[in-house]
Amino acid sequence: MAAVVDVDSHVYEPPEIWDRYVPEQFRALARSAFYHEVDDEGNRLTIVNGAPGAELNRSRLVRQAIWRPGMTVDDVGALDPDQYVPINPGAYDPAARVADMDAMGVDLAVVFPTLFNEYLPLVENPEAAAALAHGYNDWIWDFAAQTQGRVHPVAILPMHSVLLARRELDRVAEKGFTSVVIRPAFYTTSTIEGHSQRDQMARAMADAMRQGLGGAEWSPRHFVETAPFRDVWRHVDELGLVACVHPSLGITGPDAISSGAFAERVSHRLGVPHTIAEPIAHMQDADLFVTSALFHGLLEDFPTLRLAIVHAGTSWVPLALEKSETYLWLSPQFATAFVCLEPEEVWERQPLIVSFDSWEESVGIMPDRLGDKAAWGSRYPNHDASGPVEAREMLEANGVDAAMADRLLGGNAADLFRLQVPVG
Amino acid sequence: MDRLTKSYPVFDCDAHINDPEQIWDYVPESQKELVRNTYWRGDAEAWLNGDTPVMGGGNAHFPGYNPICIAGPQMNKKIMRKLNSMPLTAEQKAYVHHDGAIDARARLGEMDLMGIDQVLVIPTMVIMHVPFATNAEGVDAFCQAYNNFVADWCSEEPSRIFAAAFLPAQDAGYTAKEIHRAAELGLPVGLIRPIDAQAKYPNAAAPSMMANGEYDQVFRAFEETGMVLGMHTFPAPNYPHPLGRDYLASPGELFNRAGIDSQTFSFVHEMQVWLSQVLLSGLLDRYPNLKMAVFESNAEWLPYTLKTCDRLFKLYARERGSKGDRLPSEAFHEQCVISFESDETGVFRQWKQFQRIGIWASDAYHHDGADSWSAMRNMTECGVPDDVQADLLGGNARRFYGIEGKLFVTDEAPPIDRPDWFPQGPALDEWAEIVAHPREHAEQMREMGLDPMSLLEDTSGVAAGKGLA
């Protein structure tokens, strides 16, 4: 059996990042812009922009770091929501992490932030965001260094400023990172007005839509795939890094940042006692990113850019390609770049993967359609995590052959990330 | 290509009319001014709340063809793209306009060509604008007029044409009343759009911190009448939200703000938000006799979403409000159906998961619409058994609506004899190959006047309007 690569796992960021890793001169600023801590009884402190921040959880359970190898969904469901369950040490301690990976049967894990992915886009001060990213990146680098090459660290970028994002890109590439995470969200960022045909058309279209569809003013945020950020994507490509597009639940900010907030807000009227954004938010943000990239020509502009789209499942991909194709053909006024009207061709030739979940049966039913670009991810230590055994069983139950299962459980990811997989 | 035949009736569960101007003739004289100040349209203009000009779907809004009335028999996206690049004469515009969007008699002929035996019709720009009308009394009067109109419209051929009622969702009391009245008119479905127009998302079934539970009477009215709750989504608007510019009425607005045609995913995302709430809140357990149809939101995403909801149902076993033990996927299969379109091969590949809940829709005459013959071809290619095709293409919808099936069309029509100017044949294919790969054919694109800047000049004035069909 080939090596297993978990392409979507997480840490739960400890206070040590703020106390030791954020550059000293920025610590007070950074802590005021965003800070999070949980005490031994589950009491939480979350600060965003100098004020109490919204929480990801409503009960005492910290569901983003609760799962441990061997737990079933029923085990998690049986936990008392009024009783604090300590955070899984594997979420912040390298030795515990490796032990959990051994227990799961995972040879190598690509590791993403949890809190920083959720909260960093909310930070208003670009310099504080850059200091926070710097702190996280140095901490996860040291974390990975203590795992005998089993953890592949991914650096986060301060997308609040193209200048600062590029500067951090250079720094982490120099340090040795080969992957960065970019959340598909809207960021407040400084912009430079372009004068190319494409820029002029994009502005004209935006004005036409804003006026023609009801006239509301938009908040000064820009989607991370659009023109203001083009230099960041270019630089990721130039440096030869993998761009990991990782959505977050997105329920702690306003609607205009990412998809989860709208669902969460309107569901309050129905009185649902827990988040309802979870089954859809990540998928919707991934839809938005891919559709935006196809309409704006990101993949055609950077055909060597390596992309990993994670934590959103992969079932949405064929529909995203099909919908993009339909409206690229039917709505020429939106094609503000010379873009291919057959997105499937663009998709197929781009070096990219999309993570899938163990319970995502469509991958097993349609391996010919999804298998070349799919790569398994655990979501460890989120409460909905699963192990590779469950994924392999699902694939086998649907008749996927062993060679394809090996590709899905590790091979595709190892190729994209160019991983040297240690086989235990 | 061999012409197909069929031996079962096809029911098109979601096709559209283009909100004929006769609707407003059904408004009683005493309410005409009220409705005029709520939502009104002519061919060249439309008004919301009496003071906001909007795109109402009339032909005069479009310099070229009307995308709301274009996708009829034997049309496809290549033809439409080509037509989009051509200056059309009045005669040519009339030729590509499908009158069945307005006229019931014309509709029957077009249904014959599209392999559609029976249809449920749904309005168009009404769904876009009316949720944002501020006078609930005016909306109620408009909805009554619309429902009276459409009931009469169906009488042209009552065994073939059925219609969904449009409901005044701004006010739950008016909505509950109109459900009962529309059911009496014989309309099998009542439409609600799941958006946060005017910060009143239509979900407050029980009192909570955020709402007074007024929608309980609406869901009960659906149960009492047996009318199907039809959730119908639409492209994203851009009306101001009461909470400010960081807040949205539709999740599809993020696509507008990213500079993308929201038609790509606004439909899907609006429905996903609705459905995740319905499934994780236990709403279907609270209303066990409620029947819900999920319209125009595609279906390929459903199996994964149901699986994920089932997991979350268990993961939140001690936090969720619903204490029942029926899984979300079970509730959906027992009380819901979902529409799919002819090109959804992912649905066909996973047909076992849709064979009792999938209902086919043409979406005619909106520009992404398609006929039943193309659905049959795609299903056959994906290995969907014939009996399952019959259920997906009609049996499931008829069972759900309680409508008797009648077969009117058995043979696919031969190719329509088109005028010379109409895009067709090898010339169209060659042209389409060039425009589909513009970077490989940049010089030819410019020679043909199809560089992006010339497209912009042609269409910027109506760009937003074209994004609405």
Side-chain angles (χ1 to χ4, degrees):
Chain A
M1 201 176 292
V4 171
V5 176
D6 177 358
V7 80
D8 178 24
S9 72
H10 288 260
V11 292
Y12 195 82
E13 296 87 328
E16 183 184 19
I17 294 172
W18 286 268
D19 297 341
R20 284 188 51 209
Y21 284 90
V22 170
E24 198 165 355
Q25 69 273 29
F26 291 113
R27 277 185 195 157
L29 178 72
R31 194 181 164 105
S32 165
F34 166 51
Y35 180 74
H36 179 84
E37 183 180 354
V38 185
D39 73 11
D40 292 342
E41 293 180 351
N43 299 302
R44 296 185 280 252
L45 170 63
T46 302
I47 298 169
V48 177
N49 297 319
E55 297 289 348
L56 279 165
N57 299 284
R58 295 191 212 172
S59 80
R60 198 166 281 269
L61 298 176
V62 180
R63 287 183 174 272
Q64 293 69 35
I66 210 170
W67 187 85
R68 293 159 195 253
M71 284 183 91
T72 66
V73 288
D74 290 327
D75 293 337
V76 176
L79 295 173
D80 182 350
D82 295 322
Q83 187 72 39
Y84 175 61
V85 175
I87 289 168
N88 180 352
Y92 55 85
D93 175 69
R97 178 57 158 252
V98 170
D100 277 357
M101 289 168 64
D102 288 343
M104 292 168 71
V106 170
D107 296 291
L108 199 146
V110 180
V111 175
F112 294 97
T114 297
L115 300 165
F116 275 61
N117 206 33
E118 174 72 18
Y119 289 101
L120 203 60
L122 306 181
V123 169
E124 291 170 354
N125 184 329
E127 208 158 37
L132 285 159
H134 182 123
Y136 174 81
N137 293 338
D138 284 1
W139 174 78
I140 193 65
W141 182 259
D142 285 355
F143 178 100
Q146 298 169 67
T147 61
Q148 303 84 46
R150 303 277 297 278
V151 161
H152 180 81
V154 182
I156 197 165
L157 299 177
M159 299 300 283
H160 309 62
S161 154
V162 170
L163 182 151
L164 294 173
R166 283 177 59 106
R167 193 171 283 168
E168 185 64 6
L169 264 173
D170 287 331
R171 195 185 75 82
V172 297
E174 176 72 22
K175 199 172 176 78
F177 280 92
T178 57
S179 306
V180 292
V181 57
I182 298 174
R183 178 176 158 194
F186 288 72
Y187 294 80
T188 305
T189 189
S190 55
T191 58
I192 296 172
E193 203 153 279
H195 294 80
S196 67
Q197 272 193 353
R198 178 190 295 197
D199 293 330
Q200 290 178 54
M201 289 182 63
R203 280 198 297 276
M205 271 310 300
D207 285 346
M209 277 196 292
R210 199 164 37 222
Q211 294 306 322
L213 298 175
E217 286 300 310
W218 292 347
S219 66
R221 302 178 200 274
H222 300 270
F223 187 57
V224 76
E225 188 283 325
T226 56
F229 301 101
R230 198 42 77 105
D231 280 352
V232 177
W233 294 100
R234 179 179 294 112
H235 205 43
V236 171
D237 189 34
E238 287 165 353
L239 293 168
L241 306 180
V242 177
C244 301
V245 176
H246 192 308
S248 186
L249 189 56
I251 60 173
T252 59
D255 298 3
I257 288 182
S258 65
S259 301
F262 176 85
E264 193 74 354
R265 180 173 61 78
V266 298
S267 74
H268 288 169
R269 287 171 57 83
L270 188 50
V272 189
H274 59 78
T275 174
I276 66 97
E278 222 168 331
I280 55 171
H282 305 85
M283 184 165 55
Q284 295 190 337
D285 288 342
D287 283 337
L288 177 57
F289 173 77
V290 167
T291 310
S292 186
L294 293 168
F295 267 70
H296 299 145
L298 180 76
L299 307 187
E300 291 172 85
D301 288 349
F302 306 116
T304 59
L305 176 68
R306 288 180 289 152
L307 278 175
I309 304 170
V310 291
H311 210 112
T314 193
S315 298
W316 54 272
V317 170
L319 187 61
L321 298 177
E322 189 271 311
K323 300 300 274 186
S324 296
E325 181 195 326
T326 297
Y327 291 103
L328 281 167
W329 276 97
L330 295 179
S331 305
Q333 69 275 18
F334 283 92
T336 53
F338 274 123
V339 295
C340 179
L341 305 186
E342 299 292 348
E344 200 157 339
E345 295 174 13
V346 178
W347 182 262
E348 282 306 317
R349 60 182 181 240
Q350 193 78 21
L352 64 82
I353 57 169
V354 184
S355 73
F356 74 95
D357 299 305
S358 302
W359 64 92
E360 200 169 356
E361 209 170 4
S362 49
V363 179
I365 295 171
M366 301 183 286
D368 56 319
R369 196 169 187 214
L370 300 169
D372 285 352
K373 303 279 190 190
W376 172 77
S378 72
R379 301 189 174 205
Y380 170 102
N382 265 283
H383 71 148
D384 59 348
S386 61
V389 173
E390 189 181 341
R392 194 174 285 277
E393 284 174 355
M394 180 277 289
L395 295 170
E396 284 174 358
N398 283 287
V400 175
D401 65 47
M404 175 58 87
D406 286 345
R407 300 289 308 159
L408 292 166
L409 288 166
N412 288 343
D415 286 351
L416 185 93
F417 284 94
R418 298 173 186 160
L419 300 173
Q420 299 298 313
V421 185
V423 180
Chain B
M1 192 161 46
D2 290 342
R3 282 160 54 199
L4 298 178
T5 60
K6 65 183 185 66
S7 56
Y8 52 83
V10 165
F11 194 103
D12 179 0
C13 78
D14 176 15
H16 293 270
I17 56 174
N18 188 20
D19 311 344
E21 291 171 48
Q22 298 96 296
I23 294 168
W24 285 267
D25 297 339
Y26 279 72
V27 178
E29 206 53 48
S30 62
Q31 292 178 310
K32 279 228 173 0
E33 192 59 25
L34 174 67
V35 172
R36 201 176 174 83
N37 285 311
T38 299
Y39 181 58
W40 173 86
R41 65 153 277 201
D43 189 55
E45 56 180 335
W47 294 89
L48 179 70
N49 296 323
D51 58 3
T52 305
V54 295
M55 204 290 284
N59 295 334
H61 284 285
F62 304 98
Y65 64 73
N66 185 340
I68 293 170
C69 311
I70 187 74
Q74 299 177 18
M75 294 293 285
N76 63 46
K77 60 180 187 282
K78 289 181 184 173
I79 296 171
M80 287 181 254
R81 177 80 178 204
K82 178 66 177 167
L83 289 171
N84 222 323
S85 71
M86 297 164 54
L88 297 176
T89 65
E91 189 183 347
Q92 289 167 336
K93 281 190 209 175
Y95 176 81
V96 298
H97 183 276
H98 291 98
D99 294 341
I102 302 291
D103 176 67
R105 178 55 48 187
R107 181 131 202 157
L108 294 172
E110 289 158 359
M111 286 167 63
D112 289 346
L113 291 169
M114 295 179 79
I116 298 167
D117 298 279
Q118 295 165 303
V119 66
L120 182 91
V121 295
I122 286 172
T124 297
M125 297 311 292
V126 162
I127 303 174
M128 179 76 172
H129 301 303
V130 172
F132 295 90
T134 52
N135 186 326
E137 197 183 336
V139 175
D140 184 43
F142 168 78
C143 288
Q144 289 189 40
Y146 175 83
N147 295 334
N148 291 340
F149 156 79
V150 83
D152 281 355
W153 203 80
C154 294
S155 66
E156 180 70 33
E157 180 50 271
S159 62
R160 291 193 77 179
I161 305 178
F162 304 85
F166 193 74
L167 299 173
Q170 279 88 337
D171 184 288
Y174 287 144
T175 303
K177 218 164 78 182
E178 187 61 9
I179 289 168
H180 283 280
R181 205 187 69 85
E184 287 291 315
L185 289 172
L187 304 178
V189 175
L191 295 173
I192 292 179
R193 181 179 178 189
I195 54 169
D196 198 40
Q198 305 178 63
K200 291 185 75 174
Y201 196 87
N203 61 350
S208 72
M209 293 282 283
M210 303 287 290
N212 61 8
E214 61 182 355
Y215 258 72
D216 175 67
Q217 61 191 307
V218 172
F219 298 122
R220 293 206 184 286
F222 279 115
E223 284 191 306
E224 287 157 10
T225 58
M227 180 182 265
V228 171
L229 165 60
M231 301 307 295
H232 197 294
T233 55
F234 219 65
N238 185 42
Y239 290 109
H241 193 280
L243 294 177
R245 62 184 184 171
D246 260 348
Y247 293 88
L248 315 173
S250 159
E253 287 175 57
L254 292 179
F255 284 75
N256 290 340
R257 294 182 182 203
I260 311 163
D261 188 346
S262 81
Q263 292 185 95
T264 48
F265 271 103
S266 183
F267 295 96
V268 178
H269 286 192
E270 286 183 9
M271 193 58 72
Q272 288 174 336
V273 171
W274 170 258
L275 209 53
S276 62
Q277 295 173 72
V278 166
L279 294 174
L280 291 175
S281 68
L283 188 84
L284 296 174
D285 290 336
R286 195 179 301 165
Y287 304 102
N289 296 314
L290 179 69
K291 295 192 293 181
M292 184 171 78
V294 171
F295 289 129
E296 198 158 350
S297 309
N298 298 98
E300 190 165 348
W301 51 273
L302 186 71
Y304 173 56
T305 303
L306 289 179
K307 282 251 182 197
T308 304
C309 286
D310 283 355
R311 283 177 74 87
L312 293 169
F313 182 84
K314 294 174 182 173
L315 289 166
Y316 284 108
R318 296 184 66 178
E319 283 191 51
R320 59 182 151 86
S322 164
K323 298 306 173 197
D325 57 4
R326 189 169 62 149
L327 290 171
S329 62
E330 294 169 344
F332 189 93
H333 275 79
E334 286 165 17
Q335 292 182 241
C336 306
V337 289
I338 185 166
S339 73
F340 64 91
E341 296 179 8
S342 297
D343 56 358
E344 288 194 64
T345 52
V347 171
F348 308 149
R349 291 286 301 275
Q350 302 178 81
W351 61 266
K352 287 179 183 169
Q353 304 189 49
F354 290 97
Q355 67 184 111
R356 293 291 289 169
I357 58 169
I359 56 175
W360 174 75
S362 74
D363 198 27
Y365 303 95
H366 292 178
H367 57 172
D368 56 334
D371 63 19
S372 76
W373 307 113
S374 58
M376 284 175 221
R377 286 194 172 86
N378 286 330
M379 285 189 200
T380 301
E381 198 173 312
C382 292
V384 182
D386 288 348
D387 59 330
V388 177
Q389 290 193 29
D391 282 342
L392 291 171
L393 284 165
N396 290 341
R398 288 193 305 273
R399 172 175 48 80
F400 204 67
Y401 298 148
I403 289 172
E404 185 190 351
K406 288 197 176 173
L407 182 66
F408 295 90
V409 190
T410 56
D411 298 305
E412 185 175 17
I416 297 170
D417 190 21
R418 302 289 195 186
D420 290 344
W421 61 265
F422 190 86
Q424 56 196 311
L428 175 63
D429 291 338
E430 284 167 25
W431 179 89
E433 169 59 23
I434 292 169
V435 299
H437 301 92
R439 295 192 186 203
E440 290 88 330
H441 301 107
E443 199 51 45
Q444 288 160 284
M445 290 282 285
R446 286 194 187 89
E447 285 169 11
M448 292 191 298
L450 292 175
D451 60 288
M453 192 52 82
S454 66
L455 286 174
L456 176 69
E457 285 163 2
D458 285 349
T459 59
S460 63
V462 292
K466 279 200 175 177
L468 296 177

